Amino acid sequence: METESASSSLSIPRSHRKSSPHASSSSPSSPEVVEAFFHVLVDPQAIKGTESWMAPPRLSRSRAETSPGNGSSKVAPFSGDVVEPEEEPDSLRREEHQIQIARATPLLEESIKDVSGDGGAGGRSAVKKKLDKEATLLWRDLTVKLEGKRGHSYKVIQSLTGYALPSTLTAIMGPSNSGKSSLLRALAGTLPTNAKMFGEILLNGHPIHRLTHKSHAYVRKGGQLLETLTVRETLFYSALLQLPDCWPCAEKNALVDGVIADMQLQEFSTTIVGGYCRGKGLPLGEKRRLSIALELLENPRLVFVEKPVEDLDSISGFLVMACLKRLAIGGCTVMVTTEQTCLEITNLFDKIFLLAKGKTLFFGEISACLEHFENSGFPCPRFQNPSDHFLQAINWDFDRVASFQFLRQDFEQGSHPLGHLQTSVIIRTLETAYKASTDAAAVENLVVQLSKQELPVWNASYNATSLTRLAVTIWRSFLNMSRDFMFYWFRCILYIALMLCIGTVYYQLGNSSTSIPIRASAIFFMVSFLSLLAIGSFPALARELQVYRWERDGGHTRPVIFVLGNMLSSIPFLFLISAICSGIGYFLMGFRPVFQLFMYYVVNVFLCLTFAEGLLMVIASVTPAVFEGIIVATSIQIITMLVGGYFCRVSDLPKPVWKYPASYIAYQTYAVEGLLQNEYSGLKFSNNMAVALSGQESLRRLYPNSDARDGKWFNLLILAALSLGSRMLLYVTLFVGEKFRVVHQKCMVEKV
């Protein structure tokens, strides 16, 4: 009786199941798999009930034929007969089963703990209760085209139909370039600007105009984590940005504790995320779970996760997927993309959407997919992971496997499970069989039925105020800048070394007539190279922009908040660097020790660094990668040095381009002239003649158009305007990008 109960727990009804002579029991959903393995651990005899699903008969692909089941379409058979498995001794079979159970036991026990646990103590669980509103997502005849160069376009997905129901974990599976990410992004509304979408997408029976950030969560592969913050700080600051101000701080802390417990991150709550310059930091699996946790603070109904197990080992990947399965059990509709998974992860999937070259090969449960492959002539060998078998069969790269000498004999003899058939033949066979099967018809009918059931669509409008967001952005950015050694501290060391070099080379210039051009050289090199070294912060600024884009897509921030927050948080560091470096160079070069003149020197350098950093932010917002951005920034800095008036006087520059407008928008023109006017005004230079040469006269010889009486304040004002202008240009760039993205999404909706 115990054996029968354990065995029956593995058999679940399916609305459009196909019977097959070689697969009598279907693959259960994840909770039932966990429960079945739990029975197996308690009663070893219960394993007899799992043999039909875990161990399908071995079948050679090159000698397989179609064995159609009830209600499924027949496919043209291949040559040869079904190879029935040889009988194995009971002791050997039991030993194989024990090995299989021993391998799956530790991870499944952890899954039982994750799925049925209480979410941990000390915090409010984000998935402990069923969601009050659920999400049913449907898509019908969905096609996505990408516009290439020279007007060429190609379809990345073609006429896809499917659904995602509440409390289910759906995996979009396929080899590389099969259209997995394109389908996920199309459903989430995050397609690139060169994409065109056609078809129908429904949420709870209503056409989707645009998914709101409160209703769904889209987790990218990475890039939205600040490496200098701890796990708890990352979640807490994100909660302050997302949740309304009316929530008490204690309640927000409780929510953060609950999310940390849900994602099994308790032991890493005080660990620095780490990465680029912070050493090892948080392991990759925990970073992936932290990225998911950031999206759970608003309790979304739809969760899209892009390649959650990529680059992870089996244990880390299983923990990530177990957390996602727990979300699904809590009422979420979860969809993920994956290429290949281990057996334990495969058992967690409720449904799989198998793609190849953008076309549907199957949609349904894993057991039904096994039957589909078997009926098409490509059954899964005994004890092989179903996902491995699916992807090996439809992956074009496996056509090259037969070229290896040590595998050629297996292919020629037909003993290899994949045989020697072309992948294109397998894909066409599977596609044709699915289109003519009852599985495809059942999916179409279910989509039609669900599209007629119009359920309520939620519209959450709560959010943090703009003032709160600005304060959180300023403080978080300040912490990031103070903790990131490469952001300002390493630059400060380089600046100090540079100023020591310049100060010792131009040490104590004096007031002789020979020092007139030398002073100009010292000032020019100081301003130019201090601004040029600011490029070292480009990677850190690019990472902050990545975080901004993620928060912008989620509706947690706006361009004006990010620009003001970044600018205000950087002011203390830039002013400190300006004061230290100016103090070193100013007194080593023997400039006049007057406080007002020195402070003008400091403010001038500060505005130069502020403009340079704003320019870097603008470049980072429009360039696709860090390396390209560094090249562009360096080129612009060199051009401003050329037209700054040192190598060639501004009046002697060619008028087209270089004088108008290059020299007038080059900040170094005003910075150098202002510093020269500040230093030369009121200074006397001695020469061999009895009459000393005044600083004003010397300055007019260097810069004929300068006015020594009030020119330095005018130049400082222009420099301040350029610094603010660079931030305004950054705002315009981000604002236009945001508007362009919204217009693109509206165009997508109209085409759908």
Side-chain angles (χ1 to χ4, degrees):
M1 182 64 68
E2 295 177 356
T3 304
E4 293 177 359
S5 63
S7 182
S8 63
S9 65
L10 281 173
S11 178
I12 62 172
R14 186 164 52 87
S15 59
H16 49 276
R17 179 189 299 171
K18 296 192 299 182
S19 61
S20 172
H22 300 294
S24 59
S25 63
S26 62
S27 173
S29 61
S30 175
E32 293 167 329
V33 170
V34 174
E35 182 182 357
F37 271 94
F38 180 75
H39 283 293
V40 169
L41 296 177
V42 176
D43 184 7
Q45 297 297 326
I47 197 165
K48 295 180 180 179
T50 65
E51 292 178 3
S52 60
W53 179 74
M54 293 179 59
R58 291 197 180 105
L59 202 65
S60 175
R61 175 174 165 187
S62 61
R63 295 176 291 173
E65 68 173 4
T66 303
S67 54
N70 297 334
S72 61
S73 62
K74 295 184 179 181
V75 183
F78 297 105
S79 59
D81 300 324
V82 175
V83 180
E84 297 294 342
E86 298 179 358
E87 293 294 332
E88 300 180 5
D90 292 339
S91 60
L92 180 58
R93 183 173 300 176
R94 283 195 299 270
E95 182 179 354
E96 290 179 351
H97 285 305
Q98 292 297 334
I99 293 174
Q100 187 78 3
I101 294 299
R103 185 167 67 90
T105 295
L107 297 178
L108 289 168
E109 286 179 340
E110 183 67 24
S111 179
I112 294 172
K113 177 181 177 182
D114 286 345
V115 172
S116 62
D118 59 358
R124 189 177 70 174
S125 175
V127 296
K128 187 183 296 184
K129 298 184 299 181
K130 282 280 186 177
L131 293 175
D132 54 347
K133 296 179 181 178
E134 297 178 337
T136 299
L137 189 64
L138 313 174
W139 59 95
R140 182 163 47 195
D141 295 330
L142 193 62
T143 300
V144 173
K145 285 184 178 181
L146 288 182
E147 297 291 340
K149 297 180 179 179
R150 299 178 181 177
H152 297 291
S153 62
Y154 59 96
K155 297 179 180 179
V156 290
I157 56 175
Q158 305 178 38
S159 303
L160 303 185
T161 300
Y163 57 87
L165 302 178
S167 302
T168 59
L169 174 59
T170 304
I172 306 173
M173 189 178 295
S176 299
N177 300 320
S178 61
K180 305 182 300 297
S181 298
S182 297
L183 174 58
L184 194 72
R185 292 169 184 170
L187 297 176
T190 59
L191 284 171
T193 55
N194 64 332
K196 294 182 179 180
M197 185 170 62
F198 309 91
E200 186 178 12
I201 302 178
L202 302 175
L203 178 61
N204 288 348
H206 301 273
I208 290 182
H209 298 288
R210 183 184 178 188
L211 284 175
T212 61
H213 62 274
K214 302 293 182 183
S215 62
H216 87 291
Y218 185 80
V219 183
R220 291 176 174 81
K221 187 178 175 181
Q224 69 269 23
L225 300 176
L226 288 176
E227 62 187 31
T228 57
L229 302 181
T230 64
V231 171
R232 181 173 180 79
E233 287 174 341
T234 301
L235 290 171
F236 181 69
Y237 292 137
S238 183
L240 293 179
L241 290 173
Q242 299 180 34
L243 303 178
D245 295 340
C246 60
W247 280 36
C249 187
E251 193 169 352
K252 294 178 182 178
N253 279 317
L255 177 62
V256 171
D257 291 335
V259 171
I260 290 176
D262 290 335
M263 292 293 107
Q264 300 294 313
L265 293 170
Q266 297 95 324
E267 59 180 305
F268 301 98
S269 60
T270 58
T271 303
I272 295 290
V273 173
Y276 175 70
C277 65
R278 301 289 300 183
K280 185 176 181 180
L282 206 63
L284 186 57
E286 279 65 31
K287 286 183 181 178
R288 199 68 53 83
R289 279 184 277 154
L290 178 59
S291 300
I292 299 173
L294 286 171
E295 300 288 354
L296 302 182
L297 295 171
E298 292 180 318
N299 202 13
R301 281 77 171 176
L302 277 168
V303 179
F304 303 97
V305 188
E306 186 176 352
K307 299 180 180 179
V309 298
E310 189 176 35
D311 301 329
L312 300 181
D313 58 83
S314 58
I315 299 294
S316 299
F318 180 78
L319 290 176
V320 172
M321 293 305 305
C323 292
L324 292 175
K325 182 62 180 178
R326 186 177 184 180
L327 290 177
I329 294 175
C332 288
T333 304
V334 184
M335 296 189 67
V336 301
T337 59
T338 182
E339 292 186 0
Q340 201 163 3
T341 60
C342 62
L343 178 61
E344 292 77 18
I345 294 178
T346 305
N347 290 337
L348 297 177
F349 297 146
D350 296 306
K351 293 185 181 296
I352 62 171
F353 201 119
L354 195 61
L355 298 177
K357 296 299 181 182
K359 299 179 181 179
T360 305
L361 300 187
F362 185 81
F363 176 66
E365 298 176 358
I366 295 179
S367 60
C369 191
L370 288 169
E371 296 175 12
H372 175 62
F373 270 70
E374 183 179 348
N375 295 338
S376 301
F378 318 110
C380 181
R382 178 175 295 183
F383 300 124
Q384 185 175 2
N385 182 5
S387 66
D388 291 342
H389 177 68
F390 299 155
L391 296 181
Q392 287 177 12
I394 62 176
N395 196 333
W396 296 79
D397 292 334
F398 277 89
D399 288 340
R400 305 187 185 97
V401 174
S403 62
F404 292 101
Q405 294 292 335
F406 62 91
L407 291 176
R408 182 170 298 174
Q409 184 176 0
D410 292 339
F411 276 83
E412 291 175 353
Q413 295 176 357
S415 59
H416 194 277
L418 294 181
H420 57 272
L421 293 177
Q422 292 290 329
T423 302
S424 58
V425 176
I426 300 174
I427 292 177
R428 285 198 301 269
T429 302
L430 292 172
E431 182 186 1
T432 304
Y434 177 72
K435 287 181 178 179
S437 67
T438 56
D439 285 294
V443 171
E444 292 281 354
N445 293 334
L446 186 57
V447 169
V448 172
Q449 294 175 6
L450 292 175
S451 63
K452 297 178 181 178
Q453 300 177 1
E454 295 187 357
L455 301 176
V457 178
W458 54 93
N459 185 19
S461 59
Y462 63 86
N463 231 327
T465 62
S466 298
L467 186 61
T468 300
R469 293 179 179 182
L470 179 60
V472 173
T473 303
I474 292 173
W475 178 247
R476 187 183 62 180
S477 183
F478 181 84
L479 283 181
N480 180 45
M481 293 174 181
S482 62
R483 294 177 181 178
D484 193 343
F485 181 74
M486 299 297 294
F487 213 122
Y488 286 119
W489 304 125
F490 182 69
R491 284 171 56 190
C492 186
I493 295 174
L494 294 179
Y495 285 151
I496 292 174
L498 174 65
M499 295 310 298
L500 287 174
C501 294
I502 295 178
T504 52
V505 169
Y506 298 99
Y507 182 72
Q508 298 298 323
L509 295 176
N511 295 334
S512 63
S513 59
T514 57
S515 66
I516 295 176
I518 299 178
R519 285 175 181 269
S521 301
I523 291 175
F524 171 80
F525 285 121
M526 184 199 65
V527 172
S528 300
F529 289 109
L530 282 179
S531 303
L532 188 62
L533 286 181
I535 299 176
S537 63
F538 191 89
L541 295 174
R543 287 193 299 274
E544 282 213 338
L545 273 171
Q546 289 178 348
V547 176
Y548 158 75
R549 291 190 180 101
W550 170 76
E551 293 176 344
R552 177 205 62 190
D553 294 340
H556 311 321
T557 189
R558 293 183 297 158
V560 63
I561 294 176
F562 171 75
V563 172
L564 287 177
N566 180 268
M567 182 180 66
L568 295 177
S569 60
S570 64
I571 286 177
F573 299 98
L574 293 177
F575 193 83
L576 178 63
I577 291 175
S578 302
I580 294 175
C581 297
S582 299
I584 294 175
Y586 191 88
F587 295 104
L588 280 178
M589 289 184 288
F591 292 163
R592 288 179 291 175
V594 180
F595 180 76
Q596 293 83 352
L597 300 180
F598 172 73
M599 287 307 301
Y600 181 93
Y601 201 94
V602 172
V603 173
N604 191 296
V605 173
F606 166 74
L607 292 176
C608 288
L609 295 181
T610 304
F611 174 83
E613 191 161 294
L615 181 63
L616 291 176
M617 293 290 288
V618 174
I619 296 173
S621 65
V622 296
T623 51
V626 174
F627 182 72
E628 288 82 351
I630 291 176
I631 294 177
V632 173
T634 305
S635 303
I636 294 177
Q637 289 281 9
I638 292 175
I639 292 175
T640 57
M641 292 168 61
L642 291 175
V643 299
Y646 174 74
F647 296 105
C648 181
R649 291 191 302 182
V650 175
S651 58
D652 296 335
L653 288 172
K655 291 184 178 181
V657 180
W658 299 114
K659 185 176 181 179
Y660 306 106
S663 65
Y664 283 87
I665 62 176
Y667 72 100
Q668 291 187 2
T669 303
Y670 305 99
V672 173
E673 284 190 9
L675 290 176
L676 289 175
Q677 291 162 358
N678 181 67
E679 178 61 24
Y680 281 69
S681 179
L683 192 64
K684 298 292 184 177
F685 293 96
S686 60
N687 53 19
N688 297 328
M689 301 177 63
V691 180
L693 186 64
S694 65
Q696 292 88 337
E697 182 64 26
S698 304
L699 186 60
R700 289 191 183 95
R701 293 181 181 180
L702 290 175
Y703 293 93
N705 298 327
S706 64
D707 189 347
R709 292 173 296 178
D710 56 2
K712 72 173 186 179
W713 301 111
F714 176 78
N715 287 321
L716 191 67
L717 182 62
I718 296 297
L719 195 58
L722 288 175
S723 300
L724 292 177
S726 65
R727 300 292 175 164
M728 293 181 64
L729 181 60
L730 173 62
Y731 168 76
V732 171
T733 304
L734 298 179
F735 182 79
V736 171
E738 171 69 13
K739 291 299 181 182
F740 182 76
R741 185 177 64 92
V742 172
V743 171
H744 172 71
Q745 289 180 344
K746 290 182 179 179
C747 294
M748 289 285 99
V749 171
E750 293 175 359
K751 292 175 182 178
V752 171

